[in-house]
Amino acid sequence: MVVVTLQRKKCIGCNYCVEVAPAQFQMSKKDGKSVLLHSSEKKGFFTIKTHDDSIYEASYEAKKACPVKIIEVKQL
C-alpha cells in the first residue's frame, strides 16, 4: 500500500510536484497551490491511500523535488 500526504496550506506553488508526478498532482487555478488528486482532507492534510504501488516512484520523486518539504510518501 502507498500513502501520499500533502500539507497544502504550506504550498508555495512552485509546480515541481506536477512536473514530476502529473498523475498525482495538479495546480489549482483558484489559488495556484498544488492539489493531490483523489485525496481526502483532514485538518489541512490531504491524503491518498492506494494499493497501486506504481505511483510510489513518481510520488517519491515529487517529495524529493518539493522545496518546502510538504509531501510525505510511505510504502507499507
Side-chain angles (χ1 to χ4, degrees):
M1 177 180 277
V2 177
V3 180
V4 182
T5 304
L6 171 69
Q7 195 174 354
R8 193 170 186 278
K9 286 181 187 174
K10 295 183 178 181
C11 179
I12 60 171
C14 71
N15 201 46
Y16 290 157
C17 59
V18 177
E19 291 176 22
V20 176
Q24 283 77 50
F25 299 93
Q26 75 180 40
M27 298 307 288
S28 169
K29 290 185 168 106
K30 288 183 180 178
D31 62 7
K33 293 184 177 191
S34 178
V35 175
L36 181 57
L37 301 173
H38 313 295
S39 64
S40 56
E41 189 266 341
K42 187 173 183 181
K43 297 185 179 180
F45 290 86
F46 291 79
T47 305
I48 55 172
K49 295 178 183 178
T50 181
H51 290 287
D52 181 5
D53 290 339
S54 68
I55 73 163
Y56 177 78
E57 199 63 43
S59 299
Y60 188 75
E61 290 301 316
K63 172 188 173 169
K64 290 194 313 188
C66 180
V68 288
K69 308 295 182 213
I70 59 170
I71 300 170
E72 193 60 48
V73 181
K74 295 178 188 166
Q75 195 167 28
L76 307 175

